[in-house]
Amino acid sequence: MTVTPSSIGSTQTVELAPSYVIPLILVAVSLPLLLVQKVVSLAIALFGLFLMYQAATIRLKFTDTALDVYRQTELIRRFPYQEWLNWRIFWPSVPILFYFKEVKSIHFLPVLFDPKMLQACLEQRCPRKD
């Protein structure tokens, strides 16, 4: 079954599909820089490859009560919605950064997931409070 933003139900767990756009752009940008600044090019390429690995291994799952973060099949972190104060996706037309604030901490994540599904799940599970 394909999950679309309009088909998200409150009792359904939604796992976001990975998106490799940001890592691929970083690697592509690093190539022409190789001619000008080898060290900077290498740093950008390595960061892009790191993000590509993260996109391949990290999964976000929206449940009824929390955002769960998995590394392949292992749950590594749970963020209950009741502790969220606010969230935002920076640059919605070209989403690159997802921010959310909990009662005790702030989190920034690169958008390595389907940005439309991320937005739809956030709006449905944890409406913004600003």
Side-chain angles (χ1 to χ4, degrees), residues 24-93:
L24 289 173
I25 288 173
L26 288 173
V27 170
V29 165
S30 73
L31 295 176
L33 275 176
L34 190 59
L35 301 172
V36 181
Q37 285 285 337
K38 290 181 182 178
V39 173
V40 173
S41 173
L42 180 62
I44 292 172
L46 287 174
F47 184 59
L49 292 172
F50 169 74
L51 289 179
M52 195 172 298
Y53 172 76
Q54 294 290 38
T57 60
I58 300 294
R59 292 292 169 264
L60 295 185
K61 292 185 181 182
F62 285 88
T63 68
D64 283 343
T65 59
L67 169 62
D68 292 343
V69 180
Y70 285 84
R71 178 167 284 122
Q72 291 159 348
T73 59
E74 176 189 354
L75 177 65
I76 57 175
R77 199 67 204 268
R78 175 166 281 145
F79 299 102
Y81 305 130
Q82 67 188 27
E83 296 180 10
W84 289 37
L85 298 175
N86 199 1
W87 62 267
R88 181 171 310 271
I89 296 175
F90 289 103
W91 300 291
S93 57

Side-chain angles (χ1 to χ4, degrees), residues 87-102:
W87 62 267
R88 181 171 310 271
I89 296 175
F90 289 103
W91 300 291
S93 57
V94 184
I96 62 169
L97 192 62
F98 165 49
Y99 149 86
F100 67 99
K101 182 178 181 181
E102 290 184 293

Side-chain angles (χ1 to χ4, degrees), residues 23 28 92 96 106 128:
I96 62 169
I106 296 173
R128 286 177 41 162

Side-chain angles (χ1 to χ4, degrees), residues 2 6 8 12 26 34 40 48 85-86 107 112 122:
T2 302
S6 61
I8 297 172
Q12 181 181 18
L26 288 173
L34 190 59
V40 173
L85 298 175
N86 199 1
H107 306 278
L112 301 175
L122 288 166

